[in-house]
């Protein structure tokens, strides 16, 4: 009787399996840490208050909290979310009316680049008009810009992560439909949230103005057929917020403000429109016929080549035998 030898794995294969196993464990631990950082909340808060509950649900990003309540990005849902869920006026460490001291105005917006890969640039002017506030604690503030993208374009999350690693922004992320291959007629909208640091003790400074420049890389999706060969994608006005935290306090005691534009300011930018080349409906029949003929010819050529070389190999084997 033949004895069966035990199956032994090569050392290199064993080491590879061990590395894959521990890499998977490390990825799970990292993902859990990120989720716990985003979803952690002070247990002293009362969950019965919907605004405080919403405040606890986003640690870094406003859009993270939005997508916990809504499946898709709709303008009506987003406006309802801002009005009902965000914790405006719930601040206990800074005055509620600080947003009246700071005004933001969008100077210009533009698309730069060529082809299907562009950059959406925005220049935002920060106006600070401090008033007498007694015993204002040391604080740190950041501006939050939310770009609600139309369905015809998307932002690559890996590209945004590279910007974050380079320190271009303090935080940046994309939420919503991040499928990079979906055409526009099968995809949902997405949003890019950008956080930019505007420094310490913002409201203790003298009156001043300074500009913030935001540049977001975007990519066009495959557009549907159109009569004129172009599909127009229009960008709306970004949403502007400000978040301030007090030095020595926990993140749960930071304050969120909705910042409006300067009233009466003259806008120097128009609607940003991206004309994406698309196929024309009148050409659909011709393109389909040529595509079918090319595919059929390629299939016949492949089959004929396979038969030809199989005959050659058979004749060689007959001669050798």
């Amino acid at each position: 009787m033949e004895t069966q030898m035990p199956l032994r794995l090569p050392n290199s294969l064993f080491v590879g399996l061990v590395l894959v196993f521990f890499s998977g464990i490390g990825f799970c631990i990292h993902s859990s840490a990120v989720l716990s950082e985003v979803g952690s909340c002070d247990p002293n808060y009362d969950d019965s208050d919907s605004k405080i509950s919403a405040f606890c649900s986003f640690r870094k990003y406003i859009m993270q909290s939005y997508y916990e309540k809504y499946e898709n990005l709709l303008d009506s849902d987003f406006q309802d979310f801002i009005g009902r869920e965000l914790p405006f006026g719930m601040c206990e460490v800074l005055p509620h009316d600080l947003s009246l001291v700071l005004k933001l105005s969008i100077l210009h917006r533009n698309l730069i680049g060529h082809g299907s890969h562009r950059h959406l640039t925005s220049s935002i002017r920060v106006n600070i008009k401090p008033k007498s506030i007694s015993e204002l604690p040391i604080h740190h503030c950041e501006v939050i810009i939310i770009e609600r993208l139309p369905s015809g374009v998307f932002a690559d999350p890996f590209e945004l992560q590279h910007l974050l690693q380079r320190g271009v922004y303090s935080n940046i992320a994309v939420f919503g439909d991040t499928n990079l291959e979906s055409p526009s007629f099968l995809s949902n909208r997405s949003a890019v949230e950008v956080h930019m640091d505007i420094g310490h003790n913002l409201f203790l400074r003298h009156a001043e103005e300074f500009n913030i420049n935001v540049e977001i890389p975007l990519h066009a999706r495959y557009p549907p057929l159109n009569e004129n060969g172009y599909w127009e994608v229009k960008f709306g006005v970004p949403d502007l917020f400000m978040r301030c935290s007090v030095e020595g306090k926990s993140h749960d005691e930071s304050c969120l403000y909705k910042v409006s534009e300067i009233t009466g300011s003259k806008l120097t930018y128009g609607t940003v429109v991206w004309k994406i080349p698309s196929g024309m409906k009148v050409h659909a029949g011709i393109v389909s016929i040529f595509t079918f003929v090319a595919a059929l010819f390629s299939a016949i050529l492949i089959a004929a080549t396979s038969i030809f070389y199989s005959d050659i190999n058979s004749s060689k084997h007959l001669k050798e035998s």
Side-chain angles (χ1 to χ4, degrees), residues 116-119 149 153-164 169 172-181 190-193 215-221 274:
S116 299
H117 311 283
R118 306 286 183 92
H119 287 75
L149 303 178
V153 299
F154 69 93
D156 187 345
F158 302 102
E159 195 172 9
L160 300 184
Q161 184 67 23
H162 182 62
L163 293 177
L164 182 62
Y169 305 111
I172 185 170
V174 59
F175 298 90
D177 193 344
T178 57
N179 189 330
L180 308 185
E181 300 298 331
S190 59
V192 177
E193 182 170 335
E215 184 173 320
I216 301 175
L218 299 176
H219 309 274
R221 294 190 182 275
W274 187 350

Side-chain angles (χ1 to χ4, degrees), residues 20 55 80 93 102 105 143 148 173 182 194 221 229 280:
V20 170
F55 178 52
D80 183 72
V93 293
L102 181 141
S105 58
V143 171
R148 288 178 279 162
S182 294
V194 181
R221 294 190 182 275
M280 300 181 66

Side-chain angles (χ1 to χ4, degrees), residues 136 268 313:
L136 190 65
T268 58
N313 292 331

Side-chain angles (χ1 to χ4, degrees), residues 88-113:
F88 302 128
M90 304 298 296
C91 185
E92 296 182 357
V93 293
L94 288 172
H96 302 324
D97 59 348
L98 280 184
S99 59
L100 302 177
V101 179
L102 181 141
K103 295 294 183 181
L104 302 180
S105 58
I106 303 174
L107 297 181
H108 64 81
R109 285 162 61 79
N110 193 21
L111 274 174
I112 60 176

Side-chain angles (χ1 to χ4, degrees), residues 204-218:
L204 298 178
R205 305 174 186 173
H206 298 292
E208 61 175 307
E209 285 185 352
F210 59 92
N211 293 345
I212 294 177
N213 296 315
V214 180
E215 184 173 320
I216 301 175
L218 299 176

